[in-house]
Amino acid sequence: MRRAVYPGSFDPPTNGHVDIARRASYLVDELIVAVGVNVHKVSLFTSEERVQMLQESLVDLKNIKVMSYSGLLVDFLSTVQSSIIVRGLRNETDFASEMEMAQINSQLSPGVETIFLPAKDSQLFLSSSCVREVASLGGDVTSWVPEKVLHYLKNKL
Ligand code: ADP
């Protein structure tokens, strides 16, 4: 069985994340969307909330599982018996940092491969931080996040 892991902060999940998860799920037997728990990073949503938002937003995709992990991504990969990491690429900045992470992960765990999916044209600008910023200032983020996430944002802000 070909299983891949799509890791990220997802604080909150955006339509860009959902698009990458959907397209990646077509390429493998099972996709695990993995919410990274980083105690050193201040987040708007708890990891439980981020897992819930992803589960609700991806409910129609039957071969996707949402989990959270802490510690090294390569350790999580071996726990779930996967050697494929999926990441999205929006621009040169993503490319530079993603190449570095891919190399680090393959040094830490030879055999682990990172697959990049290009962001959709209409979502090149879209990030969780821009959603947090615009929503906190009262702007309309309806077209940037799944409907389920809108409710979480309204309750949080
Ligand atoms: P991280 O803090 O690990 O970068 P993010 O939640 O910001 O977590 O992003 C997770 C992954 O999703 C990254 O590979 C990122 O490049 C990708 N991503 C984020 N926003 C988009 C988008 N609009 N379109 C495509 N991919 C995206």
Side-chain angles (χ1 to χ4, degrees):
M1 163 139 100
R2 184 168 295 156
R3 180 181 289 131
V5 173
Y6 176 31
S9 309
F10 307 109
D11 186 35
T14 68
N15 288 338
H17 293 130
V18 169
D19 179 62
I20 296 290
R22 178 182 305 276
R23 286 158 54 205
S25 76
Y26 298 152
L27 304 175
V28 294
D29 299 308
E30 182 175 75
L31 180 74
I32 297 178
V33 179
V35 173
V37 181
N38 182 346
V39 285
H40 303 296
K41 207 165 161 181
V42 180
S43 56
L44 178 61
F45 291 98
T46 64
S47 56
E48 291 80 11
E49 287 169 328
R50 287 179 272 155
V51 167
Q52 276 169 17
M53 286 186 278
L54 284 163
Q55 276 168 342
E56 292 175 22
S57 307
L58 297 167
V59 72
D60 58 316
L61 294 161
K62 300 300 173 213
N63 65 336
I64 291 189
K65 231 191 214 171
V66 185
M67 298 173 75
S68 63
Y69 77 97
S70 54
L72 283 177
L73 176 58
V74 289
D75 290 339
F76 178 70
L77 283 169
S78 83
T79 308
V80 297
Q81 296 180 316
S82 169
S83 57
I84 306 170
I85 300 169
V86 173
R87 296 283 286 177
L89 280 184
R90 286 163 293 188
N91 47 40
E92 298 80 1
T93 315
D94 273 356
F95 180 77
S97 59
E98 294 294 342
M99 279 297 282
E100 197 176 297
M101 281 311 303
Q103 279 163 6
I104 292 169
N105 285 323
S106 114
Q107 291 277 327
L108 287 173
S109 183
V112 162
E113 290 289 357
T114 303
I115 292 176
F116 300 113
L117 294 181
K120 258 188 25 198
D121 275 4
S122 57
Q123 290 167 344
L124 289 171
F125 72 94
L126 186 53
S127 64
S128 296
S129 58
C130 100
V131 167
R132 291 196 303 272
E133 174 111 30
V134 170
S136 71
L137 296 171
D140 182 8
V141 295
T142 314
S143 58
W144 299 348
V145 296
E147 206 181 329
K148 302 285 183 187
V149 172
L150 268 186
H151 300 297
Y152 283 83
L153 273 168
K154 279 181 186 149
N155 288 337
K156 184 70 79 175
L157 298 169

